[in-house]
Amino acid sequence: MTDSELIEKLRPFLTEKRMETLEAMLAKRTKHMTVVLENIFHSHNSSAVMRTCECFGIQDLHVIENNNQFTIHPDIVRGATKWLNINRYCNATDNTPLCIDALKRDGYRIVVTSPHGEGVTNLEDFDVTKGKFAIMMGSEKVGISDYAWEHADERLTIPMCGFTESLNISVSTAIILHTLRAKMDALGVESDFSEEEKRTTLLHWMVESISSGKEVLRRILEQELD
């Protein structure tokens, strides 16, 4: 059974208003910009970033786990995980190359963030129209890894006016996503969301919106086999 057929089977389990909300949110979703978290230590930071991604319509989040395991703080994330695609890289000793290679194969520019360094671009000057891009945020303790810095396509910085060198990672991410999402919307940048991906995402959201949604979906699939 195709995603389109399953969507139609599940429609009766949702109110018309709920379906309108899901479809309206889907229309605002983007894969043109994605976010990468490299070896984040504090769960409240990674959870805050996840919530921020969801709020700004970012569909995909990539999580690199080298020495630090990725954990979610439920009081901070506030259910945002239900609406996101979370891609974890955690099976190798150094997962950063695996993530970067996968994103580049998928056509993403790797954009690392740093408060300083050569060849950095101010946030306001970043070109969102050159193609898909992945904003890569480094660890709270040491920042972006040397490997990520060396293999980045571009480097981004938030202009600062104070004595303090950098912002908290969740604050930095929020500023970057707000600024770049506003640019994308103003310039009419395409979402890079295929129709197939939209259907798959809508189906997932519908299941998440229905009480015991996974069980309902399972029964529908079993009936189809009968």
Side-chain angles (χ1 to χ4, degrees):
M1 189 176 290
T2 66
D3 285 349
S4 295
E5 291 170 330
L6 288 171
I7 287 169
E8 293 309 311
K9 291 281 188 181
L10 289 174
R11 276 186 188 274
F13 293 90
L14 292 155
T15 65
E16 184 177 342
K17 183 177 180 180
R18 184 58 177 172
M19 281 302 302
E20 288 175 354
T21 298
L22 294 179
E23 289 167 347
M25 291 301 103
L26 186 60
K28 299 176 183 177
R29 233 39 176 194
T30 185
K31 285 176 175 275
H32 187 82
M33 171 169 58
T34 190
V35 172
V36 182
L37 297 180
E38 186 188 32
N39 211 32
I40 304 302
F41 178 72
H42 292 293
S43 65
H44 65 271
N45 281 332
S46 54
S47 298
V49 169
M50 291 174 66
R51 185 172 171 181
T52 299
C53 286
E54 203 288 310
C55 286
F56 286 111
I58 310 303
Q59 185 58 34
D60 295 331
L61 177 67
H62 303 265
V63 180
I64 297 170
E65 301 172 67
N66 289 330
N67 341 37
N68 301 322
Q69 185 176 6
F70 174 67
T71 54
I72 296 171
H73 197 300
D75 291 338
I76 295 175
V77 78
R78 299 290 292 274
T81 51
K82 294 192 299 183
W83 317 115
L84 298 171
N85 298 335
I86 301 172
N87 305 283
R88 298 176 66 176
Y89 303 82
C90 56
N91 295 323
T93 303
D94 184 1
N95 296 282
T96 299
L98 299 176
C99 179
I100 288 178
D101 289 348
L103 286 167
K104 287 194 173 188
R105 284 196 302 270
D106 200 22
Y108 281 95
R109 296 179 278 158
I110 304 301
V111 183
V112 297
T113 53
S114 176
H116 48 70
E118 293 184 6
V120 296
T121 300
N122 280 346
L123 177 60
E124 292 86 350
D125 300 325
F126 182 78
D127 189 349
V128 298
T129 67
K130 286 170 56 178
K132 299 191 296 185
F133 56 93
I135 300 295
M136 194 165 183
M137 310 298 295
S139 168
E140 301 96 331
K141 292 185 176 181
V142 297
I144 211 77
S145 68
D146 290 340
Y147 184 93
W149 180 267
E150 292 165 4
H151 289 79
D153 299 297
E154 298 175 59
R155 302 175 180 91
L156 188 68
T157 189
I158 300 172
M160 307 290 287
C161 303
F163 292 105
T164 308
E165 182 181 62
S166 63
L167 295 161
N168 173 275
I169 180 176
S170 61
V171 175
S172 296
T173 304
I175 291 171
I176 291 170
L177 296 190
H178 175 269
T179 302
L180 299 185
R181 182 65 204 247
K183 272 192 173 189
M184 288 165 53
D185 291 344
L187 295 170
V189 174
E190 295 292 330
S191 68
D192 288 298
F193 224 130
S194 70
E195 291 304 315
E196 181 180 359
E197 289 170 328
K198 287 180 181 179
R199 287 191 293 271
T200 300
T201 301
L202 179 59
L203 176 60
H204 172 72
W205 288 359
M206 291 173 73
V207 172
E208 290 292 341
S209 299
I210 297 169
S211 178
S212 302
K214 291 180 181 178
E215 176 62 21
V216 172
L217 180 62
R218 185 186 65 79
R219 291 203 302 267
I220 289 172
L221 291 171
E222 286 179 349
Q223 290 171 2
E224 179 66 18
L225 291 174
D226 293 339

